Amino acid sequence: MKKNYLFTPGPTMAPHEVLLAEAAPMIHHRTSQFSAILEEVVEGLQKLFGAEEPVYIVMGSGTAAMEAAVANVCSPGDKVICAPAGKFSERWADICRAYGCEVVNIELEWGQSPTPEQVEAAIARNPDARAIYLTQSETSTGAYTDIEPIAELTRRSDALLAIDAITGIGVHPCKMDEWGVDLVTSGSQKGCMMPPGLGFIAVSPRSWETIEACSSPRYYLDLLAMRKGWAGGSQTPFTPAISLVQALRRALRMMMDEGLENIHARHARLAEAARAAVRALGLQLVADSPVNGVTAAYAPEGIDTKKLVPLMRDKYGVQIAGGQGHLKGKIFRIGHMGYVSEEDMLVAIAALEKGLKEMGYEFEIGAGLLAAHKALA
Ligand SMILES: *Cc1c(COP(=O)(O)O)cnc(C)c1O
């Protein structure tokens, strides 16, 4: 018998209550019945994002929400500031270039996080920048960026601050309005315990002037159409992913029952346990300042994670992730976001130990588990 666990940093495990809600009979979306569901969902998302304004649901993955944050803000030729230090912060720069922007990069190594001083210097050098695109939780390296002090700087400048909080939402606090962030994006299949398929984007009041003046072509991802649909009776401009929205209502109810503070505290504990285990196994984290939703660590010398990851999946039923880009084969990433308990965390660590042992790494079996138990005690 083999039981399957999904410890990847997206998609993540979805509770059966959520999956059952997705299987509910189809209803029509141009009805007061569906609008009521959408209203409840948007209210829940507003709490998660720390936003007074509605959060818009984009039918697509998280990247669709990221693209919306560029397509609606930047006109061709606009200057933007990015801080590539991993696969997803690089994606911001890629999307901006696809929309004809001039991209100015804050120079970083993978695993590092941009500091407020670096952002301040970049704004000073580029006072004409239209927007700054950052990543709260860089899933490819597990690096955390403290958004609050950066937003403090950008709210005093003309540049809008957009953040990818795709693995931040439901893991770390997000206080969009309080911090003064202009655009926040996320997706369903990470901290929200949902299948993939929905993107989320929240927009600050001061962004709309820029969005209205933006000359980039867009149709499906047009935020003005989304705003109009919402104002016209809690609707989406096109047919929404009705089943996923129904599932999201269930997921958000579960999250509100647990309480946001408890959710953030649980992720902090899971991350502490994972980091303690990794250190006890003599391994090093990739990130200088680690996030709480995923733990990325370098594999021992001579162990290829392109082999370790399938071994753990096929033999023990435990799916973790390897590295991306130039870190492929060199690192492993254990996702512990969303529907993950402390007991689940121990399962992941036990399987990691078994996999490493089988691949010839020498250490005392149980050393990681013991460290994790102590961290959780
Ligand atoms: C998963 C992820 C994305 C991409 O989301 P998709 O849903 O795969 O499009 C972007 N940014 C971060 C930080 C992510 O973890």
Side-chain angles (χ1 to χ4, degrees):
M1 193 275 259
K2 195 178 75 190
K3 201 164 168 182
N4 295 311
Y5 298 84
L6 188 58
F7 292 106
T8 50
T12 61
M13 293 185 276
H16 71 271
E17 293 94 324
V18 170
L19 298 174
L20 284 174
E22 193 185 347
M26 197 48 52
I27 58 172
H28 197 270
H29 54 294
R30 304 296 180 209
T31 56
S32 56
Q33 191 188 2
F34 185 73
S35 289
I37 294 174
L38 210 51
E39 279 166 15
E40 180 181 337
V41 161
V42 170
E43 197 184 312
L45 290 173
Q46 284 172 280
K47 289 191 184 123
L48 280 183
F49 282 65
E52 281 285 324
E53 301 279 312
V55 178
Y56 297 98
I57 300 178
V58 179
M59 311 305 151
S61 74
T63 305
M66 292 173 74
E67 181 156 347
V70 175
N72 288 278
V73 167
C74 299
S75 302
D78 276 358
K79 188 188 271 188
V80 299
I81 298 170
C82 295
K87 173 106 178 149
F88 297 108
S89 35
E90 277 183 357
R91 185 167 297 176
W92 272 136
D94 289 343
I95 298 171
C96 288
R97 274 189 290 268
Y99 278 86
C101 299
E102 182 194 336
V103 178
V104 176
N105 284 333
I106 295 172
E107 298 292 335
L108 297 164
E109 300 285 336
W110 278 42
Q112 294 179 327
S113 310
T115 63
E117 292 72 31
Q118 287 171 316
V119 173
E120 190 167 32
I123 296 174
R125 276 197 304 274
N126 304 282
D128 53 337
R130 173 77 64 207
I132 303 175
Y133 290 94
L134 300 179
T135 309
Q136 184 189 28
S137 164
E138 172 50 80
T139 316
S140 64
T141 63
Y144 180 73
T145 297
D146 190 3
I147 297 299
E148 188 175 8
I150 293 174
E152 173 76 37
L153 299 166
T154 55
R155 68 207 281 188
R156 283 190 261 119
S157 91
D158 289 336
L160 298 178
L161 175 63
I163 64 164
D164 167 353
I166 295 183
T167 53
I169 291 292
V171 176
H172 290 276
C174 178
K175 298 184 175 167
M176 175 174 181
D177 292 352
E178 195 183 312
W179 296 345
V181 183
D182 295 298
L183 296 124
V184 179
T185 62
S186 195
S188 56
Q189 80 278 25
K190 313 272 176 136
C192 289
M193 323 191 288
M194 281 274 298
L198 299 179
F200 311 127
I201 179 166
V203 182
S204 74
R206 83 161 179 163
S207 303
W208 288 108
E209 201 183 327
T210 304
I211 294 169
E212 282 157 12
C214 175
S215 68
S216 279
R218 71 269 198 199
Y219 187 81
Y220 195 75
L221 295 177
D222 188 2
L223 279 167
L224 296 171
M226 293 185 214
R227 180 174 68 169
K228 196 169 155 209
W230 184 253
S234 309
Q235 286 282 324
T236 55
F238 313 106
T239 309
I242 296 166
S243 302
L244 286 172
V245 173
Q246 286 177 311
L248 180 60
R249 175 170 64 168
R250 192 77 189 88
L252 288 169
R253 281 182 184 174
M254 289 176 75
M255 292 176 84
M256 295 310 152
D257 284 347
E258 185 177 355
L260 288 186
E261 280 181 19
N262 293 332
I263 289 175
H264 300 147
R266 172 167 55 82
H267 284 89
R269 283 168 64 76
L270 294 173
E272 274 303 321
R275 286 174 214 144
V278 160
R279 282 193 213 101
L281 294 173
L283 306 177
Q284 224 185 335
L285 295 179
V286 178
D288 296 343
S289 165
V291 294
N292 289 342
V294 56
T295 295
Y298 290 100
E301 197 63 42
I303 289 183
D304 183 351
T305 60
K306 290 200 291 297
K307 297 204 177 91
L308 174 69
V309 171
L311 168 76
M312 286 175 62
R313 178 187 59 232
D314 297 340
K315 200 152 180 192
Y316 311 120
V318 171
Q319 172 86 61
I320 63 167
Q324 294 165 293
H326 69 276
L327 294 177
K328 210 170 241 165
K330 296 194 176 73
I331 69 165
F332 61 85
R333 295 175 299 145
I334 302 176
H336 37 76
M337 66 184 86
Y339 191 51
V340 179
S341 69
E342 294 183 6
E343 288 67 34
D344 290 333
M345 199 67 245
L346 297 173
V347 169
I349 294 164
L352 173 69
E353 288 198 6
K354 284 186 179 185
L356 288 171
K357 204 56 156 185
E358 181 148 335
M359 288 193 70
Y361 182 50
E362 296 210 6
F363 65 99
E364 192 172 342
I365 196 89
L369 273 175
L370 183 62
H373 272 293
K374 283 183 178 163
L376 292 171

